[in-house]
Structures are given as structure tokens and as C-alpha cells.
Amino acid sequence: KNQVEQSPQSLIILEGKNCTLQCNYTVSPFSNLRWYKQDTGRGPVSLTIMTFSENTKSNGRYTATLDADTKQSSLHITASQLSDSASYICVVRAGWAGNNRKLIWGLGTSLAVNP
Amino acid sequence: DVKVTQSSRYLVKRTGEKVFLECVQDMDHENMFWYRQDPGLGLRLIYFSYDVKMKEKGDIPEGYSVSREKKERFSLILESASTNQTSMYLCASSFFFATSTDTQYFGPGTRLTVL
């Protein structure tokens, strides 16, 4: 069964600190992995998309890593800001071009950045 | 910037009512999606459309129907609303269905309460 699991479920950090969110997946065949940021009461916004051949991808203070062998990804947030408080969702696309392609959504990690 | 708008941010309806949720995108995207998001369950795909008048069932289509008469507009219809359809409804659109790295752009969501 295709699954995406995220940890921790929730996290509280102080402003200025770094943090790392984890995503483990069992999805076959793997196509790509995305991280979305969702502010409370808003729709998700894409942060990064990584394909099988990409190990690291950065978007400002956000850096995503992918280990396709262990089927793990992480999202590292550097020098956190209050505006980073949100839910971070890991999404894996299964399948290849055509009708078999499908997104498997994780439940998200809820991050609170306190002053 | 891609803009996806949804007709209402908050909606309260009574059991048995017919409910229309509308979504409009301004980027000429071929693909449009309807999701619902519930605590502990994450995002679940209800229906998607890859062209005008074309639609495909997602993971939880029961109790819902959709309509896409124009490329920019995708409507979700609850034929007879029930309390278990109380949820956050998210619309999304994307470009290039044929490539696996297409990013979905989400609207702000409609929080529907069925009494």
C-alpha cells in the first residue's frame, strides 16, 4: 500500500532556531516528492519538488533532501521566523506519465515558531 | 502569479440542501482538482478534470459530482449535503499533465459546515 508518513506530528521551536522535518514513504513506482507549506486556513503552497536523481534542493531558508534508497526525505528550515509557523506536508507522486499518476499526501507536521 | 479563487471562504448549509462550490483559475491550466481536508486524514482527492467536460473520480467521489463547462472554472456539487461532508474543501489547478513535475496551485479553501 502506498503510504507517506511524517514526523514529528508537531514541533515547537524558538525564533531563529533551525529544525528538520522528516518524511518516510513507501510508494511504488516513485516519480517525485514535494514539500508544501500550508498556513492555517489557507491552501497549500509548493516549496520544492524533487525527482529521483536529485539529492538536495533549496528554496531560500528551506532545504529539502531526498534519499531514494532509504525512501526518506527531510525538510530543513534555517534561522526560523514567526512566519514559518504552518503545517508542512510531504507529497509523493506515484507512477509515470498517464492515468496511473497519483499523489500520496502525508498528514503534515505542524510547526509553531515562538518569539 | 497564478491565482486560484474559490467562491466562498465559509459556508453553512442544512442537511439535504444542494450545495455548489465554485473554483476559478486564471492561468489557462488544463487540470483542475477538488480535495477535502479533514484533521487526521489529510488531503483526499474527490474529483479531477484534465479538460473541459472531462472528469475523473478521485479517491472519495461518493456524494459529490463536478462540472467543467469552461476551462477556467470547475464546480463541485453536493447533491444532498450531509453532516459528514462538513470539511475544508480545496480547489487546485496545474499545468502540463503529461509531465510528472507539474505543480498544483491551490485556492484559499472553503470551510463548509452542514447542520
Short mmCIF file of all heavy atoms in Angstrom, two decimals, chain B residues 9-58:
data_model
loop_
_atom_site.label_atom_id
_atom_site.label_comp_id
_atom_site.label_asym_id
_atom_site.label_seq_id
_atom_site.Cartn_x
_atom_site.Cartn_y
_atom_site.Cartn_z
N ARG B 9 -15.35 31.63 1.37
CA ARG B 9 -14.39 31.15 2.37
C ARG B 9 -15.09 30.31 3.43
O ARG B 9 -14.54 29.34 3.93
CB ARG B 9 -13.68 32.33 3.05
CG ARG B 9 -12.72 33.09 2.17
CD ARG B 9 -11.59 32.21 1.64
NE ARG B 9 -10.90 31.45 2.66
CZ ARG B 9 -9.89 31.91 3.39
NH1 ARG B 9 -9.48 33.13 3.24
NH2 ARG B 9 -9.31 31.13 4.29
N TYR B 10 -16.31 30.72 3.77
CA TYR B 10 -17.09 30.00 4.77
C TYR B 10 -18.51 29.82 4.24
O TYR B 10 -19.06 30.72 3.61
CB TYR B 10 -17.14 30.77 6.09
CG TYR B 10 -15.79 31.01 6.71
CD1 TYR B 10 -15.09 32.19 6.48
CD2 TYR B 10 -15.20 30.04 7.53
CE1 TYR B 10 -13.84 32.39 7.03
CE2 TYR B 10 -13.95 30.25 8.08
CZ TYR B 10 -13.27 31.42 7.83
OH TYR B 10 -12.04 31.63 8.38
N LEU B 11 -19.07 28.63 4.51
CA LEU B 11 -20.42 28.33 4.04
C LEU B 11 -21.11 27.46 5.08
O LEU B 11 -20.50 26.52 5.60
CB LEU B 11 -20.30 27.56 2.72
CG LEU B 11 -21.38 27.66 1.65
CD1 LEU B 11 -21.70 29.12 1.33
CD2 LEU B 11 -20.93 26.94 0.39
N VAL B 12 -22.35 27.79 5.39
CA VAL B 12 -23.14 26.97 6.31
C VAL B 12 -24.41 26.55 5.58
O VAL B 12 -25.14 27.40 5.08
CB VAL B 12 -23.50 27.75 7.60
CG1 VAL B 12 -24.33 26.86 8.52
CG2 VAL B 12 -22.24 28.22 8.31
N LYS B 13 -24.66 25.26 5.52
CA LYS B 13 -25.82 24.71 4.81
C LYS B 13 -26.55 23.72 5.71
O LYS B 13 -26.00 23.25 6.72
CB LYS B 13 -25.38 24.02 3.52
CG LYS B 13 -24.76 24.96 2.50
CD LYS B 13 -25.78 25.91 1.94
CE LYS B 13 -25.18 26.82 0.89
NZ LYS B 13 -26.19 27.77 0.35
N ARG B 14 -27.76 23.40 5.32
CA ARG B 14 -28.55 22.43 6.09
C ARG B 14 -28.53 21.08 5.39
O ARG B 14 -28.38 20.99 4.15
CB ARG B 14 -29.98 22.92 6.24
CG ARG B 14 -30.08 24.21 7.05
CD ARG B 14 -31.43 24.36 7.73
NE ARG B 14 -31.43 25.53 8.60
CZ ARG B 14 -31.02 25.51 9.86
NH1 ARG B 14 -30.57 24.40 10.40
NH2 ARG B 14 -31.05 26.60 10.59
N THR B 15 -28.69 20.03 6.16
CA THR B 15 -28.75 18.67 5.65
C THR B 15 -29.80 18.58 4.55
O THR B 15 -30.92 19.08 4.70
CB THR B 15 -29.10 17.69 6.78
OG1 THR B 15 -28.11 17.80 7.80
CG2 THR B 15 -29.13 16.26 6.27
N GLY B 16 -29.42 17.95 3.43
CA GLY B 16 -30.33 17.77 2.32
C GLY B 16 -30.27 18.84 1.27
O GLY B 16 -30.80 18.67 0.16
N GLU B 17 -29.65 19.97 1.57
CA GLU B 17 -29.54 21.05 0.59
C GLU B 17 -28.56 20.66 -0.53
O GLU B 17 -27.63 19.89 -0.31
CB GLU B 17 -29.03 22.33 1.26
CG GLU B 17 -30.09 23.14 1.97
CD GLU B 17 -29.57 24.52 2.33
OE1 GLU B 17 -29.53 25.39 1.45
OE2 GLU B 17 -29.21 24.73 3.52
N LYS B 18 -28.77 21.23 -1.69
CA LYS B 18 -27.83 21.08 -2.80
C LYS B 18 -26.83 22.22 -2.68
O LYS B 18 -27.22 23.39 -2.54
CB LYS B 18 -28.56 21.14 -4.14
CG LYS B 18 -27.71 20.73 -5.33
CD LYS B 18 -28.57 20.51 -6.57
CE LYS B 18 -27.74 19.96 -7.73
NZ LYS B 18 -28.58 19.65 -8.91
N VAL B 19 -25.54 21.88 -2.72
CA VAL B 19 -24.50 22.88 -2.48
C VAL B 19 -23.58 22.96 -3.69
O VAL B 19 -23.17 21.93 -4.24
CB VAL B 19 -23.67 22.50 -1.23
CG1 VAL B 19 -22.60 23.58 -0.96
CG2 VAL B 19 -24.57 22.34 -0.01
N PHE B 20 -23.27 24.18 -4.10
CA PHE B 20 -22.35 24.42 -5.21
C PHE B 20 -21.11 25.13 -4.68
O PHE B 20 -21.22 26.19 -4.07
CB PHE B 20 -23.01 25.29 -6.28
CG PHE B 20 -24.15 24.64 -7.00
CD1 PHE B 20 -25.44 24.70 -6.48
CD2 PHE B 20 -23.95 23.95 -8.18
CE1 PHE B 20 -26.50 24.10 -7.13
CE2 PHE B 20 -25.01 23.34 -8.84
CZ PHE B 20 -26.28 23.42 -8.32
N LEU B 21 -19.95 24.56 -4.95
CA LEU B 21 -18.69 25.24 -4.65
C LEU B 21 -18.01 25.51 -5.99
O LEU B 21 -17.85 24.60 -6.81
CB LEU B 21 -17.78 24.36 -3.77
CG LEU B 21 -18.35 23.90 -2.43
CD1 LEU B 21 -17.32 23.08 -1.68
CD2 LEU B 21 -18.81 25.07 -1.59
N GLU B 22 -17.60 26.77 -6.16
CA GLU B 22 -17.03 27.14 -7.45
C GLU B 22 -15.56 27.51 -7.31
O GLU B 22 -15.14 28.08 -6.31
CB GLU B 22 -17.79 28.31 -8.04
CG GLU B 22 -19.24 27.99 -8.37
CD GLU B 22 -19.64 28.50 -9.73
OE1 GLU B 22 -19.30 29.66 -10.03
OE2 GLU B 22 -20.29 27.76 -10.48
N CYS B 23 -14.82 27.20 -8.35
CA CYS B 23 -13.38 27.47 -8.37
C CYS B 23 -13.03 28.05 -9.73
O CYS B 23 -13.46 27.52 -10.76
CB CYS B 23 -12.61 26.17 -8.12
SG CYS B 23 -10.83 26.32 -8.28
N VAL B 24 -12.23 29.11 -9.72
CA VAL B 24 -11.79 29.73 -10.97
C VAL B 24 -10.29 29.93 -10.93
O VAL B 24 -9.74 30.39 -9.93
CB VAL B 24 -12.49 31.10 -11.18
CG1 VAL B 24 -11.98 31.77 -12.45
CG2 VAL B 24 -14.00 30.94 -11.23
N GLN B 25 -9.61 29.58 -12.04
CA GLN B 25 -8.16 29.81 -12.14
C GLN B 25 -7.89 30.67 -13.36
O GLN B 25 -8.59 30.59 -14.36
CB GLN B 25 -7.40 28.47 -12.19
CG GLN B 25 -7.88 27.46 -13.21
CD GLN B 25 -7.17 27.49 -14.54
OE1 GLN B 25 -6.23 28.25 -14.76
NE2 GLN B 25 -7.63 26.65 -15.47
N ASP B 26 -6.82 31.47 -13.25
CA ASP B 26 -6.57 32.45 -14.31
C ASP B 26 -5.30 32.16 -15.10
O ASP B 26 -4.76 33.04 -15.77
CB ASP B 26 -6.51 33.86 -13.70
CG ASP B 26 -5.32 34.05 -12.77
OD1 ASP B 26 -4.56 33.08 -12.53
OD2 ASP B 26 -5.15 35.18 -12.26
N MET B 27 -4.80 30.91 -15.02
CA MET B 27 -3.53 30.60 -15.68
C MET B 27 -3.69 29.66 -16.87
O MET B 27 -2.71 29.08 -17.32
CB MET B 27 -2.55 30.00 -14.69
CG MET B 27 -1.87 31.04 -13.83
SD MET B 27 -0.95 32.24 -14.80
CE MET B 27 0.39 31.24 -15.42
N ASP B 28 -4.89 29.47 -17.35
CA ASP B 28 -5.10 28.61 -18.52
C ASP B 28 -4.62 27.17 -18.27
O ASP B 28 -4.17 26.48 -19.20
CB ASP B 28 -4.37 29.19 -19.75
CG ASP B 28 -4.99 28.71 -21.06
OD1 ASP B 28 -6.21 28.51 -21.10
OD2 ASP B 28 -4.24 28.53 -22.04
N HIS B 29 -4.72 26.72 -17.02
CA HIS B 29 -4.31 25.36 -16.68
C HIS B 29 -5.31 24.35 -17.23
O HIS B 29 -6.52 24.56 -17.16
CB HIS B 29 -4.22 25.19 -15.17
CG HIS B 29 -3.01 25.83 -14.58
ND1 HIS B 29 -2.85 25.98 -13.21
CD2 HIS B 29 -1.89 26.33 -15.14
CE1 HIS B 29 -1.69 26.55 -12.97
NE2 HIS B 29 -1.09 26.79 -14.13
N GLU B 30 -4.79 23.23 -17.73
CA GLU B 30 -5.67 22.18 -18.22
C GLU B 30 -6.33 21.42 -17.06
O GLU B 30 -7.47 21.00 -17.14
CB GLU B 30 -4.90 21.17 -19.08
CG GLU B 30 -4.45 21.68 -20.44
CD GLU B 30 -3.12 22.40 -20.38
OE1 GLU B 30 -2.51 22.48 -19.30
OE2 GLU B 30 -2.68 22.90 -21.43
N ASN B 31 -5.56 21.21 -16.00
CA ASN B 31 -6.01 20.32 -14.93
C ASN B 31 -6.58 21.10 -13.75
O ASN B 31 -6.02 22.09 -13.32
CB ASN B 31 -4.84 19.48 -14.40
CG ASN B 31 -4.12 18.77 -15.51
OD1 ASN B 31 -4.75 18.11 -16.32
ND2 ASN B 31 -2.82 18.93 -15.56
N MET B 32 -7.68 20.61 -13.24
CA MET B 32 -8.25 21.17 -12.02
C MET B 32 -8.69 20.04 -11.10
O MET B 32 -9.06 18.96 -11.57
CB MET B 32 -9.41 22.11 -12.35
CG MET B 32 -8.97 23.33 -13.17
SD MET B 32 -10.23 24.58 -13.38
CE MET B 32 -10.25 25.35 -11.75
N PHE B 33 -8.63 20.31 -9.79
CA PHE B 33 -8.83 19.27 -8.79
C PHE B 33 -9.72 19.80 -7.67
O PHE B 33 -9.66 20.97 -7.32
CB PHE B 33 -7.48 18.86 -8.16
CG PHE B 33 -6.42 18.49 -9.16
CD1 PHE B 33 -5.66 19.48 -9.79
CD2 PHE B 33 -6.15 17.16 -9.44
CE1 PHE B 33 -4.67 19.14 -10.70
CE2 PHE B 33 -5.16 16.82 -10.36
CZ PHE B 33 -4.42 17.80 -10.98
N TRP B 34 -10.46 18.90 -7.05
CA TRP B 34 -11.16 19.18 -5.80
C TRP B 34 -10.71 18.18 -4.74
O TRP B 34 -10.73 16.97 -4.97
CB TRP B 34 -12.68 19.08 -5.97
CG TRP B 34 -13.31 20.34 -6.46
CD1 TRP B 34 -13.83 20.57 -7.70
CD2 TRP B 34 -13.50 21.56 -5.73
NE1 TRP B 34 -14.32 21.85 -7.78
CE2 TRP B 34 -14.14 22.48 -6.58
CE3 TRP B 34 -13.21 21.95 -4.42
CZ2 TRP B 34 -14.48 23.76 -6.19
CZ3 TRP B 34 -13.56 23.24 -4.03
CH2 TRP B 34 -14.19 24.12 -4.90
N TYR B 35 -10.29 18.73 -3.59
CA TYR B 35 -9.90 17.94 -2.44
C TYR B 35 -10.78 18.32 -1.24
O TYR B 35 -11.29 19.43 -1.17
CB TYR B 35 -8.46 18.24 -2.02
CG TYR B 35 -7.38 17.82 -2.97
CD1 TYR B 35 -6.94 18.65 -3.99
CD2 TYR B 35 -6.74 16.59 -2.80
CE1 TYR B 35 -5.90 18.28 -4.84
CE2 TYR B 35 -5.71 16.20 -3.65
CZ TYR B 35 -5.29 17.05 -4.66
OH TYR B 35 -4.26 16.68 -5.49
N ARG B 36 -10.84 17.42 -0.28
CA ARG B 36 -11.31 17.80 1.04
C ARG B 36 -10.21 17.49 2.04
O ARG B 36 -9.41 16.54 1.84
CB ARG B 36 -12.64 17.16 1.42
CG ARG B 36 -12.65 15.67 1.56
CD ARG B 36 -14.02 15.17 2.01
NE ARG B 36 -14.26 15.37 3.43
CZ ARG B 36 -15.39 15.05 4.06
NH1 ARG B 36 -16.40 14.49 3.38
NH2 ARG B 36 -15.54 15.25 5.36
N GLN B 37 -10.15 18.31 3.09
CA GLN B 37 -9.11 18.15 4.09
C GLN B 37 -9.75 18.07 5.46
O GLN B 37 -10.48 18.98 5.88
CB GLN B 37 -8.13 19.31 4.04
CG GLN B 37 -6.95 19.17 4.97
CD GLN B 37 -5.93 20.29 4.81
OE1 GLN B 37 -6.27 21.40 4.45
NE2 GLN B 37 -4.66 19.98 5.05
N ASP B 38 -9.48 16.98 6.15
CA ASP B 38 -10.04 16.76 7.49
C ASP B 38 -8.90 16.43 8.45
O ASP B 38 -7.94 15.76 8.07
CB ASP B 38 -11.04 15.59 7.46
CG ASP B 38 -12.17 15.85 6.49
OD1 ASP B 38 -13.03 16.68 6.83
OD2 ASP B 38 -12.21 15.23 5.41
N PRO B 39 -9.03 16.87 9.71
CA PRO B 39 -7.97 16.58 10.70
C PRO B 39 -7.72 15.08 10.80
O PRO B 39 -8.65 14.28 10.89
CB PRO B 39 -8.58 17.13 12.00
CG PRO B 39 -9.56 18.15 11.56
CD PRO B 39 -10.13 17.66 10.26
N GLY B 40 -6.45 14.71 10.78
CA GLY B 40 -6.08 13.31 10.92
C GLY B 40 -6.20 12.50 9.65
O GLY B 40 -5.76 11.35 9.61
N LEU B 41 -6.78 13.09 8.61
CA LEU B 41 -6.94 12.35 7.35
C LEU B 41 -6.18 13.00 6.20
O LEU B 41 -6.02 12.39 5.14
CB LEU B 41 -8.43 12.26 6.98
CG LEU B 41 -9.30 11.44 7.93
CD1 LEU B 41 -10.75 11.50 7.50
CD2 LEU B 41 -8.83 9.99 7.99
N GLY B 42 -5.76 14.23 6.36
CA GLY B 42 -5.01 14.89 5.31
C GLY B 42 -5.88 15.27 4.13
O GLY B 42 -7.11 15.30 4.21
N LEU B 43 -5.25 15.53 3.00
CA LEU B 43 -5.98 15.87 1.78
C LEU B 43 -6.40 14.61 1.05
O LEU B 43 -5.60 13.70 0.86
CB LEU B 43 -5.10 16.71 0.84
CG LEU B 43 -5.16 18.22 1.02
CD1 LEU B 43 -4.32 18.64 2.22
CD2 LEU B 43 -4.69 18.92 -0.24
N ARG B 44 -7.64 14.58 0.65
CA ARG B 44 -8.15 13.45 -0.12
C ARG B 44 -8.80 13.97 -1.39
O ARG B 44 -9.59 14.91 -1.35
CB ARG B 44 -9.16 12.65 0.71
CG ARG B 44 -8.54 11.92 1.90
CD ARG B 44 -9.58 11.15 2.69
NE ARG B 44 -10.50 12.04 3.38
CZ ARG B 44 -11.64 11.64 3.95
NH1 ARG B 44 -12.01 10.38 3.88
NH2 ARG B 44 -12.41 12.51 4.57
N LEU B 45 -8.46 13.33 -2.52
CA LEU B 45 -8.93 13.78 -3.82
C LEU B 45 -10.37 13.32 -4.06
O LEU B 45 -10.67 12.13 -3.97
CB LEU B 45 -8.00 13.24 -4.91
CG LEU B 45 -8.31 13.66 -6.34
CD1 LEU B 45 -8.16 15.16 -6.52
CD2 LEU B 45 -7.40 12.90 -7.30
N ILE B 46 -11.22 14.26 -4.43
CA ILE B 46 -12.63 13.94 -4.69
C ILE B 46 -12.82 13.67 -6.18
O ILE B 46 -13.30 12.61 -6.59
CB ILE B 46 -13.55 15.08 -4.23
CG1 ILE B 46 -13.32 15.40 -2.75
CG2 ILE B 46 -15.02 14.71 -4.46
CD1 ILE B 46 -14.04 16.66 -2.28
N TYR B 47 -12.48 14.65 -6.99
CA TYR B 47 -12.58 14.56 -8.45
C TYR B 47 -11.47 15.40 -9.06
O TYR B 47 -10.99 16.36 -8.44
CB TYR B 47 -13.92 15.13 -8.94
CG TYR B 47 -15.04 14.15 -9.11
CD1 TYR B 47 -16.00 14.01 -8.10
CD2 TYR B 47 -15.17 13.38 -10.26
CE1 TYR B 47 -17.06 13.12 -8.26
CE2 TYR B 47 -16.23 12.49 -10.42
CZ TYR B 47 -17.16 12.36 -9.40
OH TYR B 47 -18.19 11.48 -9.55
N PHE B 48 -11.11 15.08 -10.29
CA PHE B 48 -10.28 15.99 -11.05
C PHE B 48 -10.72 16.01 -12.51
O PHE B 48 -11.47 15.14 -12.97
CB PHE B 48 -8.79 15.66 -10.90
CG PHE B 48 -8.34 14.38 -11.56
CD1 PHE B 48 -7.78 14.39 -12.83
CD2 PHE B 48 -8.44 13.18 -10.88
CE1 PHE B 48 -7.33 13.22 -13.41
CE2 PHE B 48 -8.01 12.00 -11.46
CZ PHE B 48 -7.45 12.02 -12.72
N SER B 49 -10.26 17.04 -13.20
CA SER B 49 -10.63 17.24 -14.60
C SER B 49 -9.39 17.64 -15.37
O SER B 49 -8.62 18.50 -14.93
CB SER B 49 -11.68 18.35 -14.70
OG SER B 49 -11.86 18.76 -16.05
N TYR B 50 -9.17 17.02 -16.53
CA TYR B 50 -7.99 17.34 -17.31
C TYR B 50 -8.34 18.09 -18.60
O TYR B 50 -7.48 18.37 -19.42
CB TYR B 50 -7.18 16.07 -17.63
CG TYR B 50 -7.98 14.95 -18.21
CD1 TYR B 50 -8.16 14.83 -19.59
CD2 TYR B 50 -8.58 14.01 -17.38
CE1 TYR B 50 -8.91 13.80 -20.12
CE2 TYR B 50 -9.34 12.97 -17.91
CZ TYR B 50 -9.49 12.87 -19.27
OH TYR B 50 -10.24 11.86 -19.79
N ASP B 51 -9.62 18.40 -18.76
CA ASP B 51 -10.03 19.19 -19.93
C ASP B 51 -11.50 19.58 -19.73
O ASP B 51 -12.20 18.99 -18.89
CB ASP B 51 -9.86 18.38 -21.21
CG ASP B 51 -9.75 19.25 -22.45
OD1 ASP B 51 -9.98 20.48 -22.36
OD2 ASP B 51 -9.44 18.71 -23.54
N VAL B 52 -11.94 20.50 -20.55
CA VAL B 52 -13.35 20.91 -20.47
C VAL B 52 -14.23 19.70 -20.71
O VAL B 52 -13.97 18.88 -21.59
CB VAL B 52 -13.63 22.00 -21.53
CG1 VAL B 52 -15.12 22.34 -21.56
CG2 VAL B 52 -12.82 23.25 -21.24
N LYS B 53 -15.24 19.57 -19.88
CA LYS B 53 -16.23 18.49 -19.93
C LYS B 53 -15.64 17.11 -19.60
O LYS B 53 -16.36 16.11 -19.66
CB LYS B 53 -16.94 18.45 -21.29
CG LYS B 53 -17.75 19.70 -21.59
CD LYS B 53 -18.65 19.50 -22.79
CE LYS B 53 -19.36 20.80 -23.18
NZ LYS B 53 -20.29 21.27 -22.14
N MET B 54 -14.37 17.04 -19.26
CA MET B 54 -13.77 15.76 -18.88
C MET B 54 -13.60 15.72 -17.37
O MET B 54 -13.25 16.72 -16.74
CB MET B 54 -12.41 15.57 -19.55
CG MET B 54 -12.43 15.72 -21.06
SD MET B 54 -13.56 14.57 -21.85
CE MET B 54 -12.67 13.05 -21.66
N LYS B 55 -13.85 14.57 -16.77
CA LYS B 55 -13.69 14.42 -15.32
C LYS B 55 -13.32 13.00 -14.99
O LYS B 55 -13.65 12.07 -15.72
CB LYS B 55 -14.98 14.81 -14.60
CG LYS B 55 -16.17 13.94 -14.98
CD LYS B 55 -17.46 14.43 -14.36
CE LYS B 55 -18.62 13.55 -14.80
NZ LYS B 55 -19.92 14.06 -14.31
N GLU B 56 -12.63 12.86 -13.86
CA GLU B 56 -12.31 11.52 -13.38
C GLU B 56 -12.51 11.48 -11.88
O GLU B 56 -12.22 12.46 -11.18
CB GLU B 56 -10.85 11.15 -13.70
CG GLU B 56 -10.65 10.78 -15.15
CD GLU B 56 -9.40 9.94 -15.37
OE1 GLU B 56 -8.93 9.27 -14.42
OE2 GLU B 56 -8.89 9.96 -16.50
N LYS B 57 -12.97 10.35 -11.38
CA LYS B 57 -13.17 10.19 -9.95
C LYS B 57 -11.83 10.10 -9.24
O LYS B 57 -10.88 9.51 -9.74
CB LYS B 57 -13.98 8.92 -9.68
CG LYS B 57 -15.42 8.98 -10.17
CD LYS B 57 -16.14 7.69 -9.88
CE LYS B 57 -17.59 7.77 -10.38
NZ LYS B 57 -18.32 6.49 -10.13
N GLY B 58 -11.81 10.69 -8.07
CA GLY B 58 -10.65 10.55 -7.21
C GLY B 58 -10.87 9.42 -6.23
O GLY B 58 -11.51 8.42 -6.54
#
